[in-house]
Coordinates of all heavy atoms in Angstrom, one line a residue:
M868 N 29.7 14.9 -3.1 CA 29.0 15.6 -1.9 C 28.4 14.5 -1.1 O 27.6 13.7 -1.8 CB 28.0 16.6 -2.4 CG 27.1 17.1 -1.2 SD 26.0 18.3 -1.7 CE 24.7 17.4 -2.7
I869 N 28.6 14.4 0.2 CA 28.0 13.5 1.0 C 26.5 13.9 1.2 O 26.3 15.0 1.7 CB 28.7 13.3 2.4 CG1 30.1 12.8 2.1 CG2 27.9 12.4 3.3 CD1 30.5 11.5 2.5
V870 N 25.5 13.1 1.0 CA 24.1 13.4 1.2 C 23.7 12.8 2.6 O 23.0 13.5 3.4 CB 23.3 12.9 0.0 CG1 21.8 13.1 0.4 CG2 23.7 13.5 -1.2
C871 N 24.0 11.5 2.8 CA 23.6 10.9 4.0 C 24.8 10.4 4.7 O 25.5 9.5 4.3 CB 22.7 9.7 3.6 SG 22.1 8.7 5.0
H872 N 24.9 11.0 5.9 CA 26.2 10.6 6.7 C 25.9 9.3 7.4 O 26.9 8.5 7.6 CB 26.4 11.7 7.8 CG 26.9 13.0 7.1 ND1 28.2 13.3 6.8 CD2 26.2 14.1 6.7 CE1 28.3 14.4 6.3 NE2 27.1 14.9 6.1
C873 N 24.7 9.0 7.8 CA 24.5 7.7 8.6 C 24.9 6.5 7.6 O 25.5 5.6 8.0 CB 23.0 7.6 9.0 SG 22.6 8.8 10.2
A874 N 24.3 6.6 6.4 CA 24.5 5.4 5.5 C 25.7 5.6 4.5 O 26.0 4.8 3.6 CB 23.3 5.2 4.7
R875 N 26.4 6.8 4.7 CA 27.5 7.2 3.9 C 27.1 7.1 2.4 O 27.8 6.3 1.6 CB 28.7 6.3 4.2 CG 29.2 6.4 5.5 CD 30.4 5.6 5.8 NE 30.9 5.7 7.1 CZ 30.8 4.8 8.0 NH1 30.2 3.6 7.7 NH2 31.1 4.9 9.3
I876 N 26.2 7.8 2.0 CA 25.7 7.9 0.6 C 26.1 9.3 -0.1 O 25.8 10.3 0.6 CB 24.2 7.7 0.5 CG1 23.9 6.3 1.0 CG2 23.8 7.9 -1.0 CD1 22.4 6.1 1.1
R877 N 26.8 9.2 -1.1 CA 27.1 10.5 -1.8 C 26.1 10.8 -2.9 O 25.4 9.8 -3.4 CB 28.5 10.3 -2.4 CG 29.6 10.1 -1.5 CD 30.9 9.8 -2.3 NE 31.8 9.3 -1.4 CZ 33.1 9.2 -1.6 NH1 33.6 9.5 -2.8 NH2 33.9 8.8 -0.7
S878 N 26.1 12.0 -3.4 CA 25.1 12.3 -4.5 C 25.5 11.4 -5.7 O 24.5 11.1 -6.5 CB 25.2 13.8 -4.8 OG 26.6 14.2 -5.1
S879 N 26.7 11.1 -5.9 CA 27.1 10.3 -7.1 C 26.5 8.9 -7.0 O 26.1 8.2 -8.0 CB 28.6 10.3 -7.3 OG 29.2 9.8 -6.2
D880 N 26.4 8.4 -5.7 CA 25.8 7.1 -5.5 C 24.3 7.1 -5.8 O 23.8 6.1 -6.5 CB 26.0 6.7 -4.0 CG 27.4 6.6 -3.5 OD1 28.3 6.2 -4.4 OD2 27.6 6.8 -2.4
I881 N 23.7 8.2 -5.5 CA 22.2 8.4 -5.7 C 22.0 8.4 -7.3 O 21.2 7.7 -7.8 CB 21.7 9.7 -5.1 CG1 21.8 9.5 -3.6 CG2 20.2 9.9 -5.5 CD1 21.4 10.7 -2.8
H882 N 22.8 9.2 -8.0 CA 22.6 9.3 -9.4 C 22.9 8.0 -10.1 O 22.3 7.6 -11.1 CB 23.5 10.4 -10.0 CG 23.2 11.8 -9.5 ND1 21.9 12.3 -9.7 CD2 23.9 12.8 -8.9 CE1 21.9 13.6 -9.3 NE2 23.0 13.8 -8.6
A883 N 23.9 7.2 -9.6 CA 24.3 5.9 -10.2 C 23.1 5.0 -9.9 O 22.7 4.2 -10.9 CB 25.6 5.4 -9.7
A884 N 22.6 5.0 -8.8 CA 21.4 4.1 -8.4 C 20.2 4.5 -9.3 O 19.5 3.6 -9.8 CB 21.0 4.2 -7.0
V885 N 19.9 5.7 -9.5 CA 18.8 6.2 -10.3 C 19.0 5.7 -11.8 O 18.0 5.2 -12.4 CB 18.6 7.7 -10.1 CG1 17.6 8.2 -11.3 CG2 18.1 8.1 -8.8
A886 N 20.2 5.9 -12.3 CA 20.4 5.5 -13.7 C 20.2 4.0 -13.8 O 19.6 3.5 -14.8 CB 21.9 5.9 -14.1
W887 N 20.7 3.2 -12.9 CA 20.5 1.7 -12.9 C 19.0 1.4 -12.8 O 18.6 0.5 -13.5 CB 21.3 1.1 -11.7 CG 21.1 -0.3 -11.7 CD1 21.7 -1.3 -12.4 CD2 20.2 -1.0 -10.8 NE1 21.3 -2.6 -12.0 CE2 20.3 -2.4 -11.0 CE3 19.3 -0.7 -9.7 CZ2 19.7 -3.4 -10.3 CZ3 18.6 -1.6 -9.1 CH2 18.7 -2.9 -9.3
M888 N 18.4 2.0 -11.9 CA 16.9 1.7 -11.7 C 16.1 2.1 -12.9 O 15.2 1.4 -13.4 CB 16.4 2.5 -10.4 CG 17.0 2.0 -9.2 SD 16.7 3.1 -7.8 CE 14.9 2.8 -7.5
R889 N 16.4 3.3 -13.5 CA 15.7 3.7 -14.7 C 16.0 2.7 -16.0 O 15.1 2.4 -16.8 CB 16.1 5.1 -15.1 CG 15.4 5.7 -16.3 CD 13.8 5.6 -16.1 NE 13.4 6.6 -15.1 CZ 12.3 6.4 -14.3 NH1 11.6 5.3 -14.4 NH2 11.9 7.3 -13.5
A890 N 17.2 2.2 -16.0 CA 17.6 1.3 -17.1 C 16.8 0.0 -16.8 O 16.4 -0.7 -17.8 CB 19.0 1.0 -17.1
A891 N 16.7 -0.5 -15.6 CA 16.0 -1.8 -15.3 C 14.5 -1.6 -15.4 O 13.9 -2.6 -15.8 CB 16.4 -2.2 -13.9
D892 N 13.9 -0.4 -15.2 CA 12.5 -0.3 -15.2 C 12.2 1.2 -15.7 O 12.1 2.0 -14.9 CB 11.9 -0.5 -13.9 CG 10.4 -0.4 -14.0 OD1 9.8 -0.2 -15.0 OD2 9.7 -0.5 -12.9
P893 N 12.0 1.4 -17.0 CA 11.9 2.6 -17.6 C 10.5 3.3 -17.1 O 10.4 4.6 -17.2 CB 11.8 2.4 -19.1 CG 12.3 1.0 -19.3 CD 12.1 0.3 -18.1
H894 N 9.5 2.6 -16.6 CA 8.3 3.1 -16.3 C 8.1 3.2 -14.7 O 7.0 3.6 -14.2 CB 7.1 2.3 -16.9 CG 7.3 2.3 -18.3 ND1 7.3 3.3 -19.2 CD2 7.4 1.1 -19.2 CE1 7.4 2.9 -20.5 NE2 7.5 1.6 -20.4
G895 N 9.1 2.8 -14.0 CA 8.9 2.7 -12.5 C 9.1 4.1 -11.8 O 9.8 4.9 -12.3
L896 N 8.4 4.3 -10.7 CA 8.5 5.4 -9.9 C 9.8 5.3 -9.1 O 9.9 4.2 -8.5 CB 7.3 5.7 -9.2 CG 6.1 6.1 -9.9 CD1 4.9 6.3 -9.0 CD2 6.3 7.3 -10.7
I897 N 10.6 6.3 -9.0 CA 11.8 6.2 -8.2 C 11.6 7.0 -6.9 O 11.4 8.2 -7.0 CB 13.0 6.7 -8.9 CG1 13.2 5.7 -10.1 CG2 14.3 6.8 -8.0 CD1 14.3 6.2 -11.1
T898 N 11.7 6.4 -5.8 CA 11.4 7.0 -4.5 C 12.8 6.9 -3.6 O 13.6 6.1 -3.9 CB 10.3 6.4 -3.7 OG1 10.7 5.0 -3.4 CG2 9.1 6.3 -4.4
P899 N 12.9 7.8 -2.7 CA 14.1 7.7 -1.8 C 14.2 6.3 -1.2 O 15.3 5.7 -1.1 CB 13.9 8.7 -0.8 CG 12.9 9.8 -1.4 CD 12.1 8.9 -2.3
G900 N 13.2 5.6 -0.8 CA 13.2 4.3 -0.2 C 13.8 3.2 -1.2 O 14.6 2.4 -0.8
K901 N 13.3 3.4 -2.4 CA 13.9 2.5 -3.4 C 15.3 2.7 -3.7 O 16.1 1.8 -3.9 CB 13.1 2.7 -4.7 CG 11.7 2.1 -4.6 CD 10.9 2.3 -6.0 CE 9.5 1.7 -6.0 NZ 8.8 1.9 -7.2
V902 N 15.8 4.0 -3.6 CA 17.2 4.2 -3.8 C 18.0 3.6 -2.7 O 19.0 3.0 -2.9 CB 17.5 5.7 -4.0 CG1 18.9 6.0 -4.0 CG2 16.7 6.3 -5.2
Y903 N 17.5 3.9 -1.5 CA 18.2 3.2 -0.3 C 18.3 1.7 -0.5 O 19.4 1.1 -0.3 CB 17.5 3.5 1.0 CG 18.0 4.8 1.7 CD1 17.3 5.9 1.5 CD2 19.1 4.8 2.4 CE1 17.7 7.1 2.2 CE2 19.6 5.9 3.0 CZ 18.9 7.1 2.9 OH 19.4 8.2 3.5
R904 N 17.2 1.1 -0.9 CA 17.3 -0.4 -1.1 C 18.2 -0.8 -2.2 O 18.9 -1.8 -2.1 CB 15.8 -0.9 -1.3 CG 15.0 -1.0 -0.1 CD 13.8 -1.8 -0.3 NE 12.8 -1.1 -1.1 CZ 12.0 -0.2 -0.6 NH1 12.0 0.1 0.6 NH2 11.1 0.5 -1.5
A905 N 18.1 0.0 -3.3 CA 19.1 -0.3 -4.4 C 20.5 -0.2 -4.0 O 21.4 -1.0 -4.5 CB 18.8 0.6 -5.6
L906 N 20.8 0.6 -3.1 CA 22.2 0.8 -2.6 C 22.5 -0.2 -1.5 O 23.6 -0.2 -1.0 CB 22.4 2.2 -2.1 CG 22.4 3.3 -3.2 CD1 22.4 4.7 -2.6 CD2 23.5 3.1 -4.2
G907 N 21.5 -0.9 -1.1 CA 21.7 -1.9 0.0 C 22.0 -1.2 1.4 O 22.6 -1.8 2.3
K908 N 21.3 -0.1 1.5 CA 21.5 0.6 2.8 C 20.1 1.1 3.4 O 19.1 1.0 2.8 CB 22.3 1.9 2.6 CG 23.7 1.6 1.9 CD 24.6 2.7 2.0 CE 25.9 2.2 1.3 NZ 27.0 2.9 1.8
R909 N 20.2 1.6 4.6 CA 18.9 2.0 5.3 C 19.2 3.4 6.0 O 20.2 3.5 6.5 CB 18.5 1.0 6.4 CG 18.3 -0.4 5.9 CD 17.9 -1.3 7.0 NE 16.5 -1.0 7.4 CZ 15.8 -1.7 8.2 NH1 16.3 -2.8 8.7 NH2 14.5 -1.4 8.4
P910 N 18.1 4.2 5.9 CA 18.3 5.4 6.7 C 18.2 5.2 8.2 O 17.6 4.2 8.6 CB 17.1 6.3 6.2 CG 16.1 5.3 5.7 CD 16.9 4.1 5.3
E911 N 18.9 6.1 8.9 CA 18.8 5.9 10.4 C 18.2 7.2 11.0 O 17.1 7.1 11.6 CB 20.3 5.8 10.9 CG 20.8 4.4 10.5 CD 22.2 4.2 11.1 OE1 22.6 4.8 12.1 OE2 22.9 3.5 10.4
C912 N 18.9 8.3 11.0 CA 18.2 9.4 11.7 C 17.2 10.2 10.9 O 16.4 11.0 11.4 CB 19.4 10.4 12.1 SG 20.1 11.4 10.7
G913 N 17.2 10.2 9.5 CA 16.3 10.9 8.7 C 16.7 12.3 8.5 O 15.9 13.1 7.8
G914 N 17.8 12.8 9.1 CA 18.2 14.2 8.8 C 18.6 14.5 7.4 O 18.7 15.7 7.1
C915 N 18.7 13.7 6.6 CA 19.1 13.9 5.2 C 18.0 13.9 4.2 O 18.2 14.2 3.0 CB 20.2 12.8 4.7 SG 19.5 11.1 4.7
V916 N 16.8 13.7 4.7 CA 15.7 13.5 3.8 C 15.5 14.7 2.8 O 15.4 14.5 1.6 CB 14.4 13.3 4.6 CG1 13.1 13.2 3.6 CG2 14.4 12.0 5.3
S917 N 15.5 15.9 3.3 CA 15.2 16.9 2.4 C 16.4 17.1 1.4 O 16.1 17.4 0.2 CB 15.1 18.3 3.1 OG 16.2 18.6 3.8
L918 N 17.6 16.9 1.7 CA 18.7 17.0 0.8 C 18.7 15.8 -0.2 O 18.9 16.0 -1.3 CB 20.1 17.0 1.6 CG 21.3 17.1 0.6 CD1 21.3 18.2 -0.3 CD2 22.6 17.1 1.6
F919 N 18.3 14.6 0.3 CA 18.2 13.4 -0.4 C 17.1 13.6 -1.6 O 17.4 13.4 -2.7 CB 17.8 12.2 0.4 CG 18.2 10.9 -0.1 CD1 19.3 10.2 0.3 CD2 17.3 10.3 -1.1 CE1 19.5 9.0 -0.3 CE2 17.6 9.1 -1.6 CZ 18.7 8.4 -1.2
V920 N 16.0 14.2 -1.2 CA 15.0 14.5 -2.2 C 15.4 15.5 -3.1 O 15.1 15.4 -4.4 CB 13.6 14.9 -1.5 CG1 12.6 15.4 -2.4 CG2 13.1 13.7 -0.6
D921 N 16.1 16.6 -2.7 CA 16.7 17.6 -3.6 C 17.6 16.9 -4.7 O 17.5 17.3 -5.9 CB 17.3 18.7 -2.8 CG 16.5 19.6 -2.1 OD1 15.2 19.5 -2.4 OD2 17.0 20.3 -1.2
V922 N 18.4 16.1 -4.2 CA 19.4 15.4 -5.2 C 18.6 14.6 -6.1 O 18.8 14.6 -7.4 CB 20.4 14.6 -4.4 CG1 21.2 13.7 -5.3 CG2 21.3 15.5 -3.6
L923 N 17.5 13.9 -5.7 CA 16.7 13.0 -6.5 C 16.0 13.9 -7.5 O 15.9 13.6 -8.7 CB 15.6 12.3 -5.7 CG 16.1 10.9 -5.2 CD1 14.8 10.3 -4.4 CD2 16.4 10.0 -6.3
R924 N 15.4 15.0 -7.1 CA 14.7 15.9 -8.0 C 15.5 16.5 -9.1 O 15.2 16.7 -10.2 CB 14.0 17.0 -7.2 CG 12.7 16.5 -6.5 CD 12.0 17.6 -5.9 NE 10.8 17.2 -5.3 CZ 10.2 17.7 -4.2 NH1 10.7 18.8 -3.7 NH2 9.2 17.2 -3.7
A925 N 16.8 16.7 -8.8 CA 17.7 17.4 -9.7 C 18.2 16.3 -10.8 O 18.7 16.8 -11.8 CB 19.0 17.9 -8.9
D926 N 18.0 15.0 -10.5 CA 18.4 14.0 -11.5 C 17.4 13.9 -12.6 O 16.1 13.7 -12.4 CB 18.5 12.7 -10.7 CG 19.2 11.6 -11.6 OD1 18.7 11.4 -12.7 OD2 20.2 11.2 -11.2
E927 N 17.9 14.0 -13.8 CA 16.9 14.0 -15.0 C 16.2 12.7 -15.2 O 15.2 12.6 -15.8 CB 17.7 14.3 -16.2 CG 18.8 13.3 -16.6 CD 19.7 13.8 -17.7 OE1 19.8 15.0 -18.0 OE2 20.2 12.8 -18.4
N928 N 16.7 11.6 -14.5 CA 16.0 10.3 -14.7 C 14.9 10.1 -13.7 O 14.3 9.0 -13.7 CB 17.0 9.2 -14.6 CG 17.9 9.1 -15.7 OD1 17.5 9.3 -16.8 ND2 19.2 8.9 -15.6
T929 N 14.6 11.0 -12.8 CA 13.6 10.7 -11.8 C 12.3 11.3 -12.0 O 11.4 11.1 -11.3 CB 14.1 11.3 -10.4 OG1 14.3 12.7 -10.5 CG2 15.2 10.5 -9.8
G930 N 12.1 11.9 -13.2 CA 10.8 12.4 -13.6 C 9.8 11.4 -13.7 O 10.1 10.1 -13.8
V931 N 8.5 11.6 -13.6 CA 7.4 10.7 -13.8 C 7.5 10.3 -15.2 O 7.4 11.1 -16.2 CB 6.0 11.2 -13.5 CG1 4.9 10.3 -13.7 CG2 6.0 11.7 -12.0
P932 N 7.5 8.9 -15.5 CA 7.6 8.4 -16.9 C 6.4 8.9 -17.6 O 5.2 9.1 -17.1 CB 7.5 6.9 -16.7 CG 8.1 6.7 -15.4 CD 7.6 7.9 -14.5
P933 N 6.6 9.3 -19.0 CA 5.5 9.8 -19.8 C 4.3 8.9 -19.7 O 3.1 9.5 -19.8 CB 6.1 9.9 -21.2 CG 7.5 10.0 -21.0 CD 7.8 9.3 -19.7
V934 N 4.4 7.6 -19.7 CA 3.3 6.7 -19.7 C 2.4 6.9 -18.4 O 1.2 6.6 -18.5 CB 3.7 5.3 -20.0 CG1 4.4 4.7 -18.7 CG2 2.5 4.4 -20.4
L935 N 3.0 7.4 -17.4 CA 2.2 7.5 -16.1 C 1.7 9.0 -15.9 O 0.9 9.2 -14.9 CB 3.1 7.2 -15.0 CG 3.6 5.7 -14.9 CD1 4.6 5.5 -13.8 CD2 2.5 4.7 -14.9
R936 N 2.1 9.8 -16.8 CA 1.6 11.3 -16.5 C 0.2 11.4 -16.9 O -0.4 10.8 -17.9 CB 2.4 12.2 -17.4 CG 3.9 12.3 -16.9 CD 4.7 13.3 -17.7 NE 6.0 13.2 -17.4 CZ 7.1 13.4 -18.1 NH1 6.8 14.0 -19.4 NH2 8.3 13.2 -17.8
G937 N -0.5 12.2 -16.2 CA -1.9 12.5 -16.4 C -2.9 11.4 -16.0 O -4.0 11.5 -16.4
L938 N -2.5 10.4 -15.3 CA -3.3 9.4 -14.9 C -4.4 9.8 -13.8 O -5.5 9.3 -13.7 CB -2.6 8.2 -14.3 CG -1.7 7.4 -15.3 CD1 -0.9 6.4 -14.5 CD2 -2.5 6.9 -16.4
R939 N -4.0 10.9 -13.2 CA -4.9 11.4 -12.0 C -6.1 12.2 -12.5 O -7.2 12.1 -12.0 CB -4.1 12.1 -11.1 CG -4.7 12.4 -9.8 CD -3.8 13.0 -8.8 NE -4.4 13.0 -7.5 CZ -3.7 13.5 -6.5 NH1 -2.6 14.1 -6.6 NH2 -4.3 13.4 -5.3
S940 N -5.9 12.9 -13.6 CA -6.9 13.8 -14.1 C -8.2 13.0 -14.5 O -9.3 13.5 -14.1 CB -6.4 14.5 -15.3 OG -5.3 15.3 -14.9
P941 N -8.1 11.9 -15.3 CA -9.4 11.3 -15.6 C -10.2 10.7 -14.4 O -11.4 10.9 -14.3 CB -9.0 10.2 -16.5 CG -7.7 10.6 -17.1 CD -7.0 11.4 -16.0
A942 N -9.5 10.3 -13.4 CA -10.1 9.7 -12.2 C -10.8 11.0 -11.4 O -11.9 10.8 -10.9 CB -9.1 9.1 -11.3
K943 N -10.1 12.0 -11.4 CA -10.7 13.2 -10.7 C -12.0 13.7 -11.4 O -13.0 14.0 -10.7 CB -9.7 14.3 -10.7 CG -8.9 14.5 -9.5 CD -7.8 15.6 -9.7 CE -8.0 16.7 -8.6 NZ -7.1 17.7 -8.8
R944 N -12.0 13.6 -12.7 CA -13.2 14.0 -13.4 C -14.3 13.0 -13.2 O -15.5 13.5 -13.1 CB -12.8 14.1 -14.9 CG -12.2 15.3 -15.3 CD -12.0 15.5 -16.8 NE -10.6 15.7 -17.1 CZ -9.9 15.1 -17.9 NH1 -10.3 14.1 -18.7 NH2 -8.6 15.4 -18.0
R945 N -14.0 11.7 -13.1 CA -15.1 10.8 -12.8 C -15.8 10.9 -11.5 O -16.9 10.6 -11.4 CB -14.5 9.4 -13.0 CG -14.5 8.9 -14.5 CD -14.1 7.5 -14.5 NE -12.7 7.5 -15.0 CZ -11.8 6.7 -14.5 NH1 -12.0 5.8 -13.7 NH2 -10.5 6.9 -15.0
M946 N -14.9 11.4 -10.5 CA -15.5 11.5 -9.2 C -16.4 12.7 -9.0 O -17.3 12.7 -8.2 CB -14.4 11.7 -8.2 CG -13.6 10.3 -8.1 SD -12.2 10.5 -7.0 CE -13.0 10.4 -5.4
K947 N -16.4 13.6 -9.9 CA -17.1 14.8 -9.9 C -18.6 14.5 -10.4 O -18.9 13.8 -11.1 CB -16.6 15.9 -10.6 CG -15.4 16.5 -9.9 CD -14.8 17.7 -10.5 CE -13.5 18.3 -9.8 NZ -13.0 19.4 -10.4
Ligands
FES976 S1 22.0 11.3 7.5 FE1 20.8 10.1 6.3 S2 19.7 8.8 7.7 FE2 21.0 10.1 9.0

């Protein structure tokens, strides 16, 4: 399925980039911008953003790494 018509990115390209990024950095956060850079492309119109994010969210490798989960809660407690 074509996700981004401007940059000609398919959902399979996104999944391949995510797998490569996760293998290269198991603890890194994966964002749409990082996926574009990994693919050597740039967004133009932005019309694909919601679909792009949906495809990213559906990928099992884009979750927040366990080591980074729950980091916000202690800081919130300290501020109170
Ligand atoms: S469709 Fe993706 S930037 Fe235009």
Side-chain angles (χ1 to χ4, degrees):
M868 169 179 71
I869 300 250
V870 175
C871 177
H872 291 273
C873 294
R875 295 185 184 106
I876 296 174
R877 298 176 193 190
S878 56
S879 59
D880 298 327
I881 294 171
H882 294 304
V885 167
W887 176 80
M888 293 166 73
R889 184 57 72 214
D892 182 4
H894 305 300
L896 293 177
I897 296 174
T898 64
K901 287 181 179 179
V902 172
Y903 270 99
R904 281 192 291 278
L906 293 171
K908 305 195 178 210
R909 300 180 75 171
E911 290 179 28
C912 74
C915 61
V916 171
S917 63
L918 179 57
F919 202 100
V920 170
D921 286 347
V922 171
L923 269 182
R924 284 185 177 154
D926 192 301
E927 63 187 28
N928 287 318
T929 54
V931 175
V934 71
L935 297 176
R936 291 184 190 153
L938 293 178
R939 195 172 193 181
S940 299
K943 264 177 123 178
R944 277 187 234 130
R945 273 185 259 140
M946 293 179 75
K947 289 183 179 178

